[in-house]
Structures are given as structure tokens and as C-alpha cells.
Amino acid sequence: MRELTYDEMGQIDGGLAPAVIGLGIAVVGGAGIGYMEAGIGGAFVGGTLAIPATIFGTVAMGATGLTSLFFAGASVGTSFVGAHAVNEVADRQDDS
């Protein structure tokens, strides 16, 4: 096993850091929107479902061709599922 050069470390940091920061922002945003719509339960659901949506979107940006199309669709689909789940939590709270 060898040590990484400064250039290689820069490539790793440049590739991972923005994805991790973007994931954090997406989770906080999803939790915030979920909280506004449905309180604590909505925050949990919104923040949790923001994780796979962001990961799928990140993979879609890094891929090409059909793989990119598949992961972009998965990201959008997961976002719709998250919005529906937050609405369901809000509806259940209204019913009780």
C-alpha cells in the first residue's frame, strides 16, 4: 500500500466534500420542510428521505448515459415519496 500524493488527496477531497456538504444541507432542508408541514414526525420523515434522494442525485451527476437517467429518476421518485410521506404524517396528526 502506498501513500497518496497531494494531487490525489485534493481529488478525493474535491469529490467527497461537496457531496457530504450537499447531503447535510438536503437533510436539514428536508427536516425543516417536514417540520413546517407536520411537526416532529414530518421532520424525521423529511430528513430521512432526503438522504437517498440526495445520494441518487449525486450518483446521477457523476454517471453518464442510462445510468445517469436511472439515478436521476430514482432521485426524483424518492423526493415525491418523501413529500407524500410528510403529507401522510400531517394527515394522521389532523385526524387525531
Side-chain angles (χ1 to χ4, degrees):
M1 187 163 165
R2 67 179 181 84
E3 294 182 20
L4 297 174
T5 66
Y6 282 112
D7 289 336
E8 291 168 335
M9 286 189 287
Q11 290 172 355
I12 291 171
D13 184 41
L16 291 179
V20 171
I21 292 169
L23 183 62
I25 291 170
V27 169
V28 170
I33 292 170
Y35 183 77
M36 288 188 304
E37 294 291 323
I40 296 296
F44 178 76
V45 170
T48 302
L49 287 172
I51 294 169
T54 304
I55 291 171
F56 291 152
T58 303
V59 171
M61 289 188 300
T64 59
L66 289 176
T67 305
S68 178
L69 184 63
F70 172 79
F71 280 102
S75 177
V76 171
T78 305
S79 296
F80 282 131
V81 169
H84 180 70
V86 168
N87 288 337
E88 287 293 316
V89 170
D91 289 344
R92 289 177 191 234
Q93 288 178 352
D94 291 341
D95 291 341
S96 56

